[in-house]
């Protein structure tokens, strides 16, 4: 987990250096594997579980928030597929779990293509094994901090035509990029690369509702090494996250706490108890 704000447009910010491939170290907690633990998964290690237990001591609502985040993901993906999008890039997909993007998409549009992207070698190997027989879905090992390399990967370009509308999903990813300039650069580069009619969907934990708790969690994730980069004192605010949609048209209801984004049934948790916001923006 991480934090912060960023400036407006970043056209003249230097492109970050090429990122190196992560090495697999089960003794260092990983944000994706911690999330897997919160969702009741088994693809995590002792270091992940230890960090997760410390986080739960600070914020017992984290598993409920994770589930609400998955529900938001499902509603957003369904909206995008029903809007005619047939290409999806899920960046920072994490370990395969129940309700994967390709399953949600194919329930609406069986011909849609899905590319998963993650920089965790374990997540990539696991997902590739599960999807080896799926001709419409593939997995790319790449880093969100280097969009140019990510979007030029042969696995991605063999599946996705960037000259046609595409949905780029950044769920619980940008909160782990503690450098505000770099976070905005990622979004700017992705926006430039996608065709008009494309969408950017984002979810992001924020500090507005419980700044003391989120500050402690930000420190925990950074101290444990599951988030790297410049030290941040807290998570970004809603206003900060809103800047990621600069240049896009926000789909109704805009950027809101995720239980409020187009709920399709009974809301299981009060919106003010889920300090994760989400939104979907369209490139005109």
């Amino acid at each position: 987990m991480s934090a912060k704000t960023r400036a407006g447009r970043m056209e003249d910010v230097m492109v970050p250096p090429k990122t190196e491939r992560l090495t697999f170290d089960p003794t260092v907690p990983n944000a994706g594997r911690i999330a897997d633990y919160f969702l009741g998964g088994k693809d995590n290690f002792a270091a992940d579980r230890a960090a997760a237990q410390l986080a739960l001591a600070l914020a017992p609502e984290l598993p409920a928030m994770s589930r609400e985040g998955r529900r938001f993901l499902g509603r957003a993906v369904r909206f995008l597929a029903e809007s005619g999008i047939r290409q999806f890039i899920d960046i920072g997909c994490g370990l395969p779990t129940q309700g994967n993007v390709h399953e949600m998409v194919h329930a609406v549009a069986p011909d849609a293509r899905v590319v998963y992207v993650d920089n965790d070698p374990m997540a990539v190997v696991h997902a590739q094994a599960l999807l080896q027989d799926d001709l419409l879905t593939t997995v790319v090992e790449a880093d969100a901090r280097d969009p140019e390399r990510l979007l030029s990967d042969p696995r991605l370009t063999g599946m996705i035509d960037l000259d046609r509308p595409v949905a780029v999903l950044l769920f619980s990813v940008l909160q782990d990029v503690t450098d505000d300039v770099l976070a905005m650069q990622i979004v700017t580069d992705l926006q430039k690369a996608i065709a008009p009619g494309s969408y950017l969907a984002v979810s992001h934990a924020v500090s507005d509702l419980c700044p003391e708790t989120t500050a402690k969690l930000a420190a925990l994730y950074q101290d444990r090494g599951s988030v790297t980069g410049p030290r941040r004192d807290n998570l970004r605010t809603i206003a900060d996250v809103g800047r990621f949609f600069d240049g896009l048209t926000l789909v109704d209801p805009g950027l809101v706490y995720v239980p409020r984004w187009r709920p399709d049934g009974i809301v299981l948790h009060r919106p003010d108890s889920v300090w994760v916001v989400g939104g979907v923006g369209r490139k005109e």
Side-chain angles (χ1 to χ4, degrees), residues 14 17 20 43 48 50 88 91 129 137 158 170 179 183 192 195 205 210 230 233 241 243 274-276:
M14 291 183 64
E20 295 182 0
D43 294 306
D48 307 309
F88 292 78
I91 300 176
T137 309
L170 291 168
D179 186 323
K192 286 180 178 179
C210 46
D233 295 330
V241 176
R243 297 189 183 103
V274 178
W275 29 273
V276 176

Side-chain angles (χ1 to χ4, degrees), residues 21-25 30 33 95 118-128 141:
R21 184 181 188 274
L22 292 182
T23 55
F24 175 63
D25 184 352
N30 172 275
R33 295 195 298 268
L95 288 159
D118 206 279
N119 66 356
D120 180 355
M122 175 185 170
V124 172
V125 169
H126 192 163
Q128 287 175 342
E141 183 180 340

Side-chain angles (χ1 to χ4, degrees), residues 89-107:
I89 304 174
D90 183 6
I91 300 176
C93 59
L95 288 159
T97 186
Q98 292 183 344
N100 291 299
V101 167
H102 72 284
E103 296 169 332
M104 301 173 188
V105 169
H106 289 156

Side-chain angles (χ1 to χ4, degrees), residues 67-190:
R67 292 191 292 272
E68 285 291 349
R70 296 300 295 184
R71 292 188 183 98
F72 166 58
L73 171 65
R75 296 194 301 274
V77 165
R78 186 167 65 250
F79 162 79
L80 292 164
E82 290 174 348
S83 298
I85 296 298
R86 294 296 180 266
Q87 302 187 112
F88 292 78
I89 304 174
D90 183 6
I91 300 176
C93 59
L95 288 159
T97 186
Q98 292 183 344
N100 291 299
V101 167
H102 72 284
E103 296 169 332
M104 301 173 188
V105 169
H106 289 156
V108 177
D111 60 333
R113 296 170 177 263
V114 178
V115 173
Y116 291 109
V117 180
D118 206 279
N119 66 356
D120 180 355
M122 175 185 170
V124 172
V125 169
H126 192 163
Q128 287 175 342
L130 289 175
L131 298 169
Q132 59 182 338
D133 297 324
D134 191 327
L135 300 180
L136 295 176
T137 309
T138 193
V139 188
V140 172
E141 183 180 340
D143 198 306
R145 295 170 295 176
D146 192 350
E148 181 181 356
R149 180 182 290 183
L150 184 161
L151 294 173
S152 63
D153 187 283
R155 279 182 176 264
L156 186 145
T157 57
M159 188 73 71
I160 301 294
D161 180 0
L162 291 173
D163 291 328
R164 295 173 52 234
V166 61
V168 177
L169 312 179
L170 291 168
F171 282 78
S172 300
V173 175
L174 295 172
Q175 65 196 37
D176 294 332
V177 180
T178 59
D179 186 323
D180 296 332
V181 173
L182 177 55
M184 181 57 86
Q185 186 69 54
I186 290 169
V187 174
T188 300
D189 287 350
L190 290 170

Side-chain angles (χ1 to χ4, degrees), residues 257-279:
Y257 288 103
V258 293
R260 290 193 172 113
W261 200 92
R262 300 187 175 222
D264 54 6
I266 298 173
V267 177
L268 299 182
H269 302 93
R270 299 190 325 273
D272 60 359
S273 70
V274 178
W275 29 273
V276 176
V277 295

